Amino acid sequence: PAAAATAAAAARAKAVHAKVELEDVEPLVTSARPPPPVGYAPEDIFYIDGVGWCDIYGREITQGKKASSKKPSHAAIGVEPRLAKPSSVKPPKMTAADQKAAWDSIPGI
């Protein structure tokens, strides 16, 4: 493959320098696109070279399986879930006079 690609690149360069039409020159990369996956509408999938078929959200589609939006569980990826800790910062206590002064300081209320 590398020798063929090098030969194709040399032929392409020669054609460019000779101002010859590139239609007669073998393309540099010849990759065959696999058939589209079954179960998707043609407008809902697209192909990216080097990745493969993707759904409308950009997720890779493996042959025979639909793309999953399910996130891996914590056990599957080997980490412990983070639990929310209660806040240790408490707001200062306000007297009724402080609350009234705060409301009165807001214009238009």
Side-chain angles (χ1 to χ4, degrees):
T6 304
R12 183 179 280 283
K14 186 176 181 181
V16 169
H17 290 297
K19 298 189 184 282
V20 175
E21 290 296 320
L22 293 177
E23 296 171 0
D24 300 332
V25 179
E26 184 178 328
L28 184 61
V29 178
T30 57
S31 62
R33 178 183 290 190
V38 178
Y40 289 91
E43 63 272 3
D44 291 344
I45 58 174
F46 56 93
Y47 186 80
I48 299 176
D49 286 330
V51 175
W53 287 100
C54 298
D55 66 1
I56 59 175
Y57 301 106
R59 298 176 298 203
E60 184 179 358
I61 300 171
T62 56
Q63 288 293 20
K65 295 182 179 178
K66 289 199 172 215
S68 172
S69 61
K70 181 181 176 188
K71 294 182 181 178
S73 68
H74 290 89
I77 59 176
V79 296
E80 291 294 320
R82 292 185 181 182
L83 302 176
K85 295 180 180 177
S87 176
S88 60
V89 178
K90 299 197 184 238
K93 295 284 183 181
M94 293 182 76
T95 64
D98 291 337
Q99 288 179 351
K100 183 176 179 345
W103 279 106
D104 289 343
S105 70
I106 301 173
I109 293 184

